[in-house]
Structures are given as C-alpha cells and as structure tokens.
Amino acid sequence: LTLVDLPGMAKVAVGDQPQDIESQIKDMSLHYIRNPNAIILAVTSANTDLANSDALQLAQTVDPYGNRTVGVLTKLDLMDPGTDASQMLQNCIIPLRRGYIGVVNRGQQDINSDLSIREGLQKELQFFQRHPIYGRDRSLQDKCGTPHLAKTLNTILMHHIRDCLPELKNRITHMMTDVQSELDALGTTPHAATSKSHLGGTLLNLLSKFATNFANVIDGRGGMVGGGSGGGNSSSHGGSGTHHPKTTTTTTAAAADVDD
C-alpha cells in the first residue's frame, strides 16, 4: 500500500507561487486519483461545512458513486462547543460507500513541544474516550481514531488483492504459456544448461529438425527450409525411407564431433 500525500487545494498564489497554482494542484491530484486502483482519502476539516469540501468535490469527478473514496474528518477537537461530527461520521450528509473516519492529529503546539507520534495517538484515544458523544455512542467507536483508519485501509488492501489475484494468476499463466511456446519453437528447453553435453544435445536437435525439413523440401512435401512446427515436422512421420536414415546419421556424427 503506497500513500501519496497530495497538497491542499490552493486558491490564491502566495509569494513566488505560480499564478495557476490552483489548476496545477488540481491536475496533479487528478493524475493520481484517476487510477481505478487508487483509494481516495478525502480529507476535510470537521469544523467546516462538508458541502464545501474541495477534496470531496474533486473525488466525485473520478468516483461519482464513492466506491473507492474514504472520507477523513480532521480537527474534531476544534469544533464549537455543543457541536459534533456524528452525522458526518454516520454517513448521513454526503454518503460514501466506504464511509467516514474521524481523527485528531497533533496540533502546532504539540509539534513545537516535541510531542511524539506515539504520545499523539494516546492523546487522540483519550479525546475520543472522554468525549460525551464519541465515547458513548457505540456506532461511532469504530469510526474514530487513526488506528481505525489504518485498519480500514489494510482491509481495503486485502480485499483488493483477493479480487485481483485470480486475474493476475491467469495473466501470468498465459504469459508463461506464450514464452514456453516461443522456447519450443526455438528448439530449446527451459532447463537447458551451458555444459557441453547439453549444448551438443541442443545442436543435435536443431540439426535434426533442419535435416528433416531439408529432406521434406527435396521430396516436395515441405514448405520452406526451417519450417519449425509447421507441415515439415508433421509429415516427416509419414516415412521417406531413403533420405531420412542417411541424413540423420550424418547430423549425429557432426554433433558428436562438436560435443567432443
């Protein structure tokens, strides 16, 4: 599972940023989220109106039914007193097939005070456990916290592998069959070694095929010399009693000389 952290949608160029910064970020984001195998994490602040989410708007352009979009609500600890994100977490406002998960990240003050990630996760857990809504509503407990987000992504990854594995196995099997056919057409074996005995046997096989095709052409029963697995090989079993024994004896002796 590869995580690509995309920048937020900037509206106004700041400093030395290009004037088309918004379109550049949008094009870059679309480049990644257009991939049908990509899971979109649409990150939105919980203390803003969900209908104004740039991330959800962009995700809907490539995933209109929300089949591969996971809504991530941040800053739940910064919501106004008396408000909560329970309706959003319960998928009631803008429904997504994979729903929403709320997280509380480290703030700037936590970063300045060198609060570790482990301590930040513990602080997040305490926030949800002590909250009067998130800590008491059992339907929300599996929708809150970074560990639940990681577990959800891991589950999505396993399901994706399970769904893609049969097709991938078939593709590999077909590729192996094609390669084996090419190897057979070249007259080599997949386990051919580089020793003199194996090289001599391979040369003998090639010379025998050439002699057979050549004899078929002489007899007027073959197409082109070196016809491979075409009509030459199949017709050689019909029997041309005069040419085949002599030609085979000659090539066998030649191969034996090379092997020596």
Side-chain angles (χ1 to χ4, degrees):
L1 185 65
T2 302
L3 180 63
V4 180
D5 186 13
L6 297 172
M9 297 298 297
K11 301 294 184 180
V12 180
V14 178
D16 58 351
Q17 293 180 346
Q19 294 300 317
D20 60 342
I21 183 67
E22 181 180 4
S23 60
Q24 287 192 25
I25 294 178
K26 182 177 181 180
D27 293 340
M28 180 177 61
S29 300
L30 288 174
H31 170 73
Y32 286 99
I33 66 177
R34 278 198 184 104
N35 184 354
N37 293 326
I39 298 299
I40 305 171
L41 297 181
V43 182
T44 306
S45 298
N47 57 353
T48 61
D49 190 352
L50 195 61
N52 296 328
S53 172
D54 293 329
L56 287 176
Q57 181 185 24
L58 195 62
Q60 286 181 345
T61 60
V62 296
D63 185 30
Y65 300 105
N67 293 327
R68 54 187 183 91
T69 301
V70 178
V72 180
L73 302 176
T74 63
K75 301 181 180 180
L76 276 75
D77 55 330
L78 300 181
M79 298 185 69
D80 294 334
T83 62
D84 59 78
S86 58
Q87 291 295 312
M88 291 183 282
L89 291 174
Q90 290 174 351
N91 214 12
C92 297
I93 300 178
I94 300 180
L96 296 175
R97 181 175 177 270
R98 301 190 181 276
Y100 295 82
I101 295 179
V103 298
V104 175
N105 298 321
R106 293 179 300 169
Q108 189 60 46
Q109 183 177 357
D110 296 330
I111 297 175
N112 294 337
S113 60
D114 293 330
L115 184 72
S116 66
I117 296 179
R118 187 182 300 275
E119 293 173 339
L121 292 176
Q122 185 63 31
K123 183 178 179 181
E124 177 192 45
L125 177 62
Q126 293 176 357
F127 169 80
F128 286 120
Q129 288 179 343
R130 298 173 181 177
H131 195 275
I133 302 298
Y134 310 132
R136 297 180 180 179
D137 192 341
R138 292 185 177 180
S139 64
L140 297 177
Q141 291 179 358
D142 61 343
K143 297 178 175 60
C144 297
T146 303
H148 289 290
L149 176 60
K151 182 179 179 181
T152 299
L153 295 178
N154 186 55
T155 302
I156 293 174
L157 176 62
M158 289 191 298
H159 289 172
H160 178 70
I161 294 175
R162 182 194 62 186
D163 296 338
C164 294
L165 194 58
E167 180 183 356
L168 182 61
K169 182 179 179 180
N170 291 335
R171 289 176 58 186
I172 294 176
T173 302
H174 292 159
M175 291 174 63
M176 292 179 61
T177 303
D178 294 340
V179 172
Q180 184 62 50
S181 300
E182 294 179 3
L183 288 174
D184 293 341
L186 293 173
T188 59
T189 59
H191 302 290
T194 57
S195 63
K196 276 191 173 183
S197 61
H198 285 85
L199 291 176
T202 301
L203 180 59
L204 174 62
N205 187 25
L206 292 174
L207 291 176
S208 298
K209 287 186 177 181
F210 174 79
T212 302
N213 292 334
F214 185 77
N216 290 335
V217 172
I218 295 286
D219 293 339
R221 295 182 292 104
M224 296 184 299
V225 177
S229 57
N233 284 342
S234 61
S235 61
S236 64
H237 299 287
S240 174
T242 55
H243 296 285
H244 289 201
K246 296 180 181 179
T247 309
T248 304
T249 303
T250 304
T251 55
T252 302
D257 294 338
V258 173
D259 191 25
D260 294 338

